[in-house]
Amino acid sequence: MTLHDVAAAAGVSIATVSRALNGKERVSGATAEHVARVAEQLGYRVNLIGRGLREGTGATIGVVVPVISNPFYGELVHRLEDHLQRRGFDLVIADSHGDVDRERARLRMLVERRVEGVFVVPSDAELSFDAVADTAQRLPLVQVDRRVLDLDADFVGVDNDHGIGLAVDHLASRGASRIVLVSGNDVTSVGRERRAAFESIVRARSLPVEENVFGEYLLSFGESAVARLRARGPLPDGIVAGDDLVAAGAIAALKRANLRVPDDILITGFDGTMLADVCEPRLTTVVQPFDELAAEAVEALVRRMDDPETPYALRRVTPTLRVAESTSPAPGA
């Protein structure tokens, strides 16, 4: 039995059922009694999700991420857990390894374990649709960082247009004109958004159009991308990396080739993870506000739990740029 079943049998909305079973004052006593009677007749087990998230009475939330070893997802999960634990709840973590089949299995496992809600970072902007949509029909669900295209579901992520704009404008201010994007491919919504933002901004700034390099958000891809750039001829003035892992891999490959950052080429990252501080030189990067991202995601899940009929929300948080030695001093200084 689900809230949908109770609502249909009682002749009221899902929101009214949710309010009635969670003791909301906005429901009259007669309606609350009617809903409770129908729920009992159907054998519906009252699940005090909304009340629990407000009062900390206990629940388990699941999260599925593509690659937990990526520092970005490690930090994101840490912040999500912080915000949930303040409310007295536990977090179950599952790693899809960026594989759609594994992602489907992990989501099914969380449903079977009767978690109260799910955060998911979809592995694929298109192929993840069925598994994520099916889970959203069964549980309150919020997509974080990445999203499935054309799916009615809550989403919280960063403003990629703004972040890429910060990186391009910074490199241009340092004297770079030939700027290349080295980033994830179009498999994910993040890859698509950062690519589209970069290409649009380059045209708007009347910068030379270069052949960009696309692959996966991996250290090894950053290394191989540098090899591809070197094979093409003279290096560009600057690289906008799609994340800090890619930037770190690129810096390592440039060092092995006896090329200097920032003297020979400027590099920016994206995310603001611990990698930005341990890189040598330290990495100029677009910093995602992890705490705000997690807080917004938790609030979106609470709203969905509290009222299943609430309109779906798409929330973008604003990143900032942290300047470090990978882009300073400016060329020629």
Side-chain angles (χ1 to χ4, degrees):
M1 285 295 120
T2 67
L3 285 179
H4 293 267
D5 300 320
V6 177
V12 298
S13 70
I14 296 174
T16 297
V17 173
S18 177
R19 294 188 189 105
L21 298 182
N22 284 289
K24 291 292 188 94
E25 296 179 357
R26 287 174 289 172
V27 179
S28 69
T31 300
E33 290 179 8
H34 171 61
V35 170
R37 186 165 54 252
V38 171
E40 183 177 357
Q41 291 171 351
L42 292 176
Y44 177 77
R45 182 178 63 86
V46 178
N47 192 340
L48 301 181
I49 293 171
R51 184 185 303 172
L53 280 169
R54 289 189 300 276
E55 300 174 2
T57 56
T60 301
I61 308 300
V63 59
V64 180
V65 297
V67 186
I68 194 63
S69 58
N70 184 323
F72 171 79
Y73 294 116
E75 183 66 23
L76 176 62
V77 167
H78 169 66
R79 298 303 179 94
L80 286 171
E81 189 171 37
D82 274 354
H83 282 276
L84 288 171
Q85 283 189 338
R86 291 171 194 170
R87 299 171 184 265
F89 298 96
D90 296 320
L91 186 67
V92 175
I93 304 166
D95 191 335
S96 70
H97 300 278
D99 180 83
V100 173
D101 290 334
R102 289 190 183 185
E103 179 177 73
R104 183 183 299 108
R106 301 299 185 266
L107 288 169
R108 187 185 304 118
M109 174 270 293
L110 291 172
V111 170
E112 291 172 352
R113 288 195 176 193
R114 303 180 68 86
V115 298
E116 309 290 6
V118 173
F119 299 110
V120 60
V121 183
S123 299
D124 193 290
E126 297 178 6
L127 300 180
S128 293
F129 184 95
D130 289 344
V132 176
D134 180 69
T135 305
Q137 289 294 316
R138 300 169 183 273
L139 293 171
L141 178 145
V142 176
Q143 300 177 99
V144 187
D145 180 51
R146 303 175 181 177
R147 62 193 181 102
V148 175
L149 303 181
D150 302 320
L151 174 66
D152 287 333
D154 294 302
F155 167 74
V156 180
V158 74
D159 185 338
N160 286 301
D161 289 6
H162 184 71
I164 292 295
L166 289 174
V168 172
D169 288 344
H170 174 69
L171 291 181
S173 75
R174 295 300 198 200
S177 60
R178 294 183 56 234
I179 304 172
V180 169
L181 176 66
V182 176
S183 185
N185 53 35
D186 288 349
V187 166
T188 69
S189 63
V190 165
R192 296 183 183 201
E193 290 172 9
R194 292 179 189 175
R195 176 178 189 164
F198 181 86
E199 292 173 351
S200 175
I201 291 165
V202 164
R203 289 194 300 269
R205 305 294 191 271
S206 298
L207 294 168
V209 176
E210 302 287 331
E211 183 182 353
N212 299 313
V213 184
F214 299 105
E216 299 182 73
Y217 293 108
L218 298 172
L219 196 74
S220 58
F221 167 63
E223 295 174 321
S224 64
V226 166
R228 290 165 62 180
L229 287 173
R230 293 182 63 213
R232 284 179 359 195
L235 286 173
D237 303 322
I239 290 175
V240 172
D243 76 348
D244 291 348
L245 266 177
V246 172
I251 288 175
L254 289 164
K255 279 186 175 181
R256 287 195 294 271
N258 294 318
L259 293 165
R260 298 167 299 168
V261 177
D263 296 348
D264 295 320
I265 188 170
L266 308 174
I267 296 183
T268 64
F270 201 118
D271 286 341
T273 62
M274 65 179 71
L275 273 177
D277 288 325
V278 300
C279 276
E280 179 58 43
R282 288 192 311 133
L283 182 63
T284 292
T285 189
V286 176
V287 179
Q288 296 210 44
F290 284 102
D291 199 64
E292 182 183 1
L293 189 64
E296 289 285 347
V298 169
E299 288 304 314
L301 191 64
V302 170
R303 286 193 297 271
R304 182 61 49 199
M305 289 173 160
D306 192 44
D307 184 357
E309 289 191 336
T310 192
Y312 293 111
L314 192 157
R315 173 81 170 91
R316 297 281 186 179
V317 298
T318 304
T320 57
L321 184 74
R322 187 172 65 217
V323 179
E325 287 77 19
S326 70
T327 60
S328 179

